[in-house]
Amino acid sequence: MASPMRSLLADPDRYLQSFRLFLERSTEHQCMQEFVERQLPDVIASIGNGKSTINVLSVGGGAGEIDLQILSKIRARYPGATINNDVIEPSADQISKYKERVAQASNLENIKFTWHKETAYEYESRMNAEKKTKKWDFIHMIQMLYYVKDVPATIRYFHSLLESQAKLLIILVSGKSGWETLWKKYASSFPLEDLCSFVSSADLPRMLDSAGLKYQLYELPSRMDITSCFIEGDKDGELLLDFLTETLDFAKTAPPELKQQLMEELRKPGCSENRDGKVFFNNSLGVTVIEP
């Protein structure tokens, strides 16, 4: 009998709901913000040297929260330059939230925004069809490589668009995170759509080494409170379980044996830490900065 389990991506509204709850319950954005504050200035130290215009490409820019923080650092480093910020983002909902954020933000003068409602692959196909190869001074892909079919090819393509002083920044879940443990054991049990690949920062060095690329790695510790996942019938807990397994209504549609195994796994040290009666999932991130 076919499993009733379906991919969370089949229901965009529930996916966004679970994603927002994930951001609420985790230190995902805080640890990225810390990276932007502390390490990013060194990463971008030479991307705009001698340039009056700096071209930035955000691949999978989402609602723009981290994008705007990155742009403020670039602006601070190159105060006189004009910044062209192009955003590739397939979700109309996320783009409209991004535009709202830009409309409400102060001090964005000198920054021009262009949004492309498309996937990374659609952008690449369109550029190839138009025989265009625009070069960029800074490209970032934050938590988006899970949604491409061919990760090495996507990295190669966007790397080929870098100017001589540019950088390509990729953020993914860390190879030391609970995600890695979960995916290694259970990926084959989840209803993956072909748009999803389980990739972590631990997978990148192999791909980059084989392409002969130079890069630097950073670890960003992060955690997420998943205590509610263990409360039977808790709506938030069910949403977080959906997010963790990329499965729509996991609590209701997963075979009982799989659900039991997964719940046990989530409590183990490979995935989580138990502290003060709460369960904190290891949500650490890995940052890879690739040279031209």
Side-chain angles (χ1 to χ4, degrees):
M1 190 181 90
S3 162
M5 289 167 72
R6 291 169 63 215
S7 167
L8 181 56
L9 294 173
D11 184 340
D13 288 343
R14 189 161 170 96
Y15 172 79
L16 272 176
Q17 239 185 313
S18 69
F19 176 61
R20 287 191 193 119
L21 184 64
F22 157 71
L23 288 180
E24 222 174 88
R25 295 287 170 88
S26 73
T27 57
E28 170 101 351
H29 274 180
Q30 292 89 314
C31 78
M32 286 188 204
Q33 283 156 5
E34 209 165 288
F35 173 82
V36 168
E37 283 301 318
R38 293 184 182 176
Q39 274 108 1
L40 190 70
D42 287 343
V43 171
I44 60 169
S46 61
I47 62 167
N49 282 355
K51 298 195 166 191
S52 57
T53 303
I54 297 171
N55 295 315
V56 179
L57 181 62
S58 165
V59 188
E65 190 176 342
I66 302 297
D67 283 22
L68 294 191
Q69 292 170 25
I70 289 172
L71 290 169
S72 80
K73 287 291 169 221
I74 295 174
R75 199 163 159 265
R77 176 70 182 80
Y78 304 100
T82 298
I83 300 171
N84 290 326
N85 184 64
D86 278 38
V87 182
I88 300 168
E89 170 54 56
S91 160
D93 180 65
Q94 293 287 76
I95 288 177
S96 93
K97 288 200 167 44
Y98 197 141
K99 288 179 175 175
E100 276 167 36
R101 198 165 255 130
V102 167
Q104 287 160 10
S106 56
N107 64 24
L108 292 179
E109 61 274 8
N110 293 359
I111 303 179
K112 295 174 184 161
F113 290 88
T114 309
W115 287 271
H116 307 276
K117 188 189 168 299
E118 57 194 350
T119 64
Y121 180 71
E122 285 163 352
Y123 175 85
E124 181 182 345
S125 303
R126 179 168 64 81
M127 287 294 154
N128 288 338
E130 293 171 11
K131 295 194 168 37
K132 282 184 185 165
T133 47
K134 181 165 179 173
K135 294 280 185 174
W136 302 90
D137 300 300
F138 189 63
I139 301 176
H140 56 88
M141 311 165 119
I142 298 175
Q143 295 287 51
M144 60 69 63
L145 280 175
Y146 319 111
Y147 306 103
V148 305
K149 285 181 182 170
D150 188 336
V151 174
T154 300
I155 293 174
R156 276 198 307 275
Y157 171 71
F158 285 100
H159 179 266
S160 75
L161 306 181
L162 292 178
E163 289 280 16
S164 60
Q165 298 287 316
K167 295 282 192 292
L168 168 58
L169 176 133
I170 297 173
I171 300 183
L172 288 168
V173 298
S174 164
K176 297 173 183 149
S177 69
W179 295 103
E180 179 85 345
T181 308
L182 212 56
W183 293 346
K184 280 218 163 98
K185 287 198 175 178
Y186 296 101
S188 59
S189 306
F190 300 151
L192 269 190
E193 288 202 336
D194 58 358
L195 280 176
C196 230
S197 50
F198 286 125
V199 59
S200 78
S201 65
D203 299 310
L204 295 190
R206 181 177 38 82
M207 298 175 192
L208 301 177
D209 290 342
S210 71
L213 300 179
K214 278 192 186 153
Y215 55 91
Q216 286 126 17
L217 304 171
Y218 305 81
E219 279 284 315
L220 313 184
S222 171
R223 61 184 201 170
M224 163 168 62
D225 185 347
I226 59 167
T227 314
S228 59
C229 292
F230 301 94
I231 303 166
E232 197 63 43
D234 185 287
K235 290 278 176 281
D236 284 354
E238 290 181 356
L239 265 178
L240 286 177
L241 270 179
D242 284 12
F243 192 78
L244 285 162
T245 60
E246 287 279 343
T247 303
L248 189 58
D249 289 321
F250 177 84
K252 297 187 177 79
T253 62
E257 192 184 348
L258 173 65
K259 187 182 170 187
Q260 188 191 339
Q261 285 173 357
L262 185 102
M263 300 310 284
E264 285 171 11
E265 193 66 49
L266 281 174
R267 282 189 184 274
K268 290 181 184 171
C271 275
S272 304
E273 179 189 11
N274 294 278
R275 192 192 299 169
D276 305 328
K278 293 192 161 188
V279 186
F280 292 99
F281 183 76
N282 180 341
N283 181 58
S284 294
L285 305 176
V287 179
T288 308
V289 176
I290 307 171
E291 308 283 331

